[in-house]
Amino acid sequence: MPYTILVADDEPAIRTMLEVILSADGHEIVAVPDGKAALDYLRDHTPDAMLLDIQMPHMDGFEVCSRVKRVKRLRDTPVLLLTGFDDDHTRDQAKLVGADDIVYKPLSGKNLRGRVNQLVTARRP
């Protein structure tokens, strides 16, 4: 079953790569360039999953995740944070804001698709 996945990353090449990887399973990808644009989209839409880059202009992925997890309609939507930093501070901060998973760059397409599908199907009734 195809899902709608929100991708927020300030790097156009990363957004394109994520669209190619995730649309291979037939998913609809909504790609936005920053956290503010992600929140604008989420005002009227409820995606099946979100991939948020941690470092973005205007609002980072931690802040977007924190806000999403406080909205009843969005609370159960899986949030995967994208980062190049594999350290304790990043992992602690991700837990603090309620992220469901962290995906480290450089990305493995097969790994990413599997994790997204696993998180979304776990949330489906």
Side-chain angles (χ1 to χ4, degrees), residues 1-66:
M1 171 187 284
Y3 308 127
T4 299
I5 302 170
L6 174 64
V7 171
D9 197 302
D10 58 319
E11 293 288 329
I14 300 279
R15 282 198 310 271
T16 300
M17 181 182 67
L18 290 168
E19 284 184 70
V20 169
I21 290 169
L22 296 168
S23 63
D25 288 333
H27 304 314
E28 178 187 340
I29 311 305
V30 177
V32 296
D34 58 57
K36 186 179 173 316
L39 288 181
D40 288 345
Y41 171 81
L42 293 168
R43 233 179 251 124
D44 299 316
H45 302 88
T46 306
D48 295 297
M50 295 176 225
L51 272 74
L52 308 173
D53 187 25
I54 288 178
Q55 288 193 299
M56 293 185 288
H58 309 300
M59 186 180 303
D60 67 21
F62 290 133
E63 179 65 23
V64 175
C65 182
S66 175

Side-chain angles (χ1 to χ4, degrees), residues 46-110:
T46 306
D48 295 297
M50 295 176 225
L51 272 74
L52 308 173
D53 187 25
I54 288 178
Q55 288 193 299
M56 293 185 288
H58 309 300
M59 186 180 303
D60 67 21
F62 290 133
E63 179 65 23
V64 175
C65 182
S66 175
R67 291 181 183 208
V68 161
K69 294 299 183 177
R70 292 188 299 236
V71 176
K72 186 173 184 174
R73 172 177 59 86
L74 300 170
R75 185 177 299 145
D76 292 330
T77 302
V79 175
L80 290 85
L81 294 177
L82 299 169
T83 183
F85 301 105
D86 187 359
D87 59 63
D88 289 339
H89 173 74
T90 302
R91 281 187 289 277
D92 291 346
Q93 189 69 20
K95 276 188 197 141
L96 195 65
V97 298
D100 296 275
D101 205 348
I102 301 178
V103 178
Y104 298 101
K105 298 175 186 175
L107 299 164
S108 155
K110 185 177 177 187

